[in-house]
Amino acid sequence: MAMASPPFISTFNFNPISFKTTLPPLSSSSSLTPKLRRPFLRFSVKASRKQVEIVFDPDERLNKIGDDVDKEAPLSRLKLFSPCKINVFLRITNKREDGFHDLASLFHVISLGDTIKFSLSPSKSKDRLSTNVQGVPVDGRNLIIKALNLYRKKTGSDRFFWIHLDKKVPTGAGLGGGSSNAATALWAANQLNGGLVTEKELQDWSSEIGSDIPFFFSHGAAYCTGRGEIVQDLPPPFPHDLPMVLIKPREACSTAEVYKRLRLDQTSNINPLTLLENVSSNGVSQSICINDLELPAFQVLPSLKRLKQRIIASGRGEYDAVFMSGSGSTIVGIGSPDPPQFIYDDEEYKNVFLSEANFMTREANEWYKEPASATATTSSSESRLDFQ
């Protein structure tokens, strides 16, 4: 460890005519070099019968300058958690003239998520996106790039970014991973541009590139209507320590295919506001976790229906509710972080994606915080996660 240097000791003898300074001689072995950790000057000043000692510590001054610079310097990089969501219930209430469907759903953020690193790029013409998995586009098809382009279009900013996406949320899962990435990118772009606009503006703009994106600008729990872009923030309806398990087969569900097979006369007729009231009063139960997209999703992927049935049968009451999230193909079991034993034993399920999770929310004016511990695995010791 470097030691602090010995002080300069200077004696100033004042008289009406002369001013004299004496310094100790310096040698080549002197520790007083620019590499010293904490050089300082100590002056012992005699004036008349009074002696005043003045200590000058350049490190302290430089540290203060550094602190002032840090306060003034613009933010240049960010590392953010990008959590996914589940639909605790999902009612499809109408088909619109524009081809979309009206829905009414309780969305909730959960603790499974990706990590995204953003840094300012010297480029003035292009963002650069990299990722840790194959099958995820890194060009203009990716919602992260679309979100950054949208931010520049709306604000006039000329800043571009380097982005690395550490992907943990599978695609085609009904978990909104891509939508969360887009919302996180909008938040990051705004922070790295000095906060040019409000969260409400980011939320409003985000619906232009995806129906689920506005939800992530809630505080983590929301009742969403319209295409999903009308977001009513809710106080947290569930305790954060309520565990769940996510089980996603290797096969994905095409959202377009699921909606193509949807028949409104085969959906539930329960009022979604009644479901919301029941959640507020009684918490999670199987009767509340209705998903109108399950039936068409099970037609697209019949093995998904069998998986849900087996989880319910094998759970022996361990789960408060078992349901599909979004348009699939993730089955959620709330009440336990553990999958049924058959998931490990049956060859059919050796490649499923497994993750335990909890409900989570965020504080005002902050983004979602990565949980201290998050587990996402496959059912075998070797990761076979397929994001294609």
Side-chain angles (χ1 to χ4, degrees), residues 28-49:
S28 60
S29 62
S30 171
S31 61
L32 299 174
T33 71
K35 297 181 180 179
L36 288 176
R37 278 183 65 190
R38 293 194 57 80
F40 60 89
L41 301 175
R42 177 178 287 118
F43 297 95
S44 180
V45 181
K46 294 180 180 179
S48 300
R49 294 185 178 182

Side-chain angles (χ1 to χ4, degrees), residues 26-219:
L26 296 177
S27 68
S28 60
S29 62
S30 171
S31 61
L32 299 174
T33 71
K35 297 181 180 179
L36 288 176
R37 278 183 65 190
R38 293 194 57 80
F40 60 89
L41 301 175
R42 177 178 287 118
F43 297 95
S44 180
V45 181
K46 294 180 180 179
S48 300
R49 294 185 178 182
K50 294 182 179 180
Q51 179 169 312
V52 180
E53 183 176 78
I54 304 171
V55 176
F56 172 63
D57 185 345
D59 265 7
E60 183 179 351
R61 180 171 176 271
L62 290 174
N63 287 339
K64 185 178 185 305
I65 292 172
D67 290 341
D68 291 342
V69 169
D70 286 343
K71 290 176 184 176
E72 297 297 327
L75 193 63
S76 64
R77 62 185 61 194
L78 274 177
K79 178 181 177 182
L80 295 175
F81 185 56
S82 179
C84 64
K85 58 82 183 170
I86 60 171
N87 301 87
V88 179
F89 64 78
L90 174 56
R91 288 288 338 279
I92 306 298
T93 57
N94 184 43
K95 186 169 183 179
R96 299 151 48 122
E97 292 183 359
D98 60 8
F100 289 97
H101 289 78
D102 283 323
L103 59 83
S105 178
L106 173 56
F107 282 58
H108 208 302
V109 167
I110 61 173
S111 58
L112 172 66
D114 305 327
T115 302
I116 315 179
K117 296 178 181 178
F118 300 87
S119 59
L120 290 175
S121 169
S123 170
K124 292 297 181 183
S125 61
K126 188 177 181 180
D127 298 303
R128 188 177 73 186
L129 172 63
S130 61
T131 184
N132 63 318
V133 295
Q134 295 181 345
V136 174
V138 294
D139 55 16
R141 295 171 294 166
N142 193 292
L143 279 170
I144 292 175
I145 302 299
K146 290 182 179 181
L148 297 176
N149 286 334
L150 178 67
Y151 186 85
R152 284 186 289 266
K153 174 185 172 184
K154 295 292 188 179
T155 64
S157 169
D158 62 354
R159 291 185 171 180
F160 288 79
F161 304 92
W162 288 336
I163 314 102
H164 180 73
L165 170 63
D166 185 7
K167 195 76 180 157
K168 294 184 177 67
V169 178
T171 57
L175 298 174
S179 296
S180 173
N181 292 167
T184 305
L186 285 171
W187 171 275
N190 199 42
Q191 294 297 303
L192 293 169
N193 278 275
L196 296 178
V197 298
T198 65
E199 275 190 46
K200 184 64 170 65
E201 288 173 292
L202 296 176
Q203 184 180 51
D204 291 345
W205 298 344
S206 68
S207 65
E208 297 183 20
I209 56 173
S211 299
D212 290 351
I213 302 172
F215 158 69
F216 290 95
F217 289 100
S218 73
H219 289 131

Side-chain angles (χ1 to χ4, degrees), residues 3 60 101 105 184 199 203 266 271 307 336 340 345 361:
M3 300 297 291
E60 183 179 351
H101 289 78
S105 178
T184 305
E199 275 190 46
Q203 184 180 51
Q266 294 179 341
N271 189 326
L307 174 60
S336 172
D345 295 341
T361 53

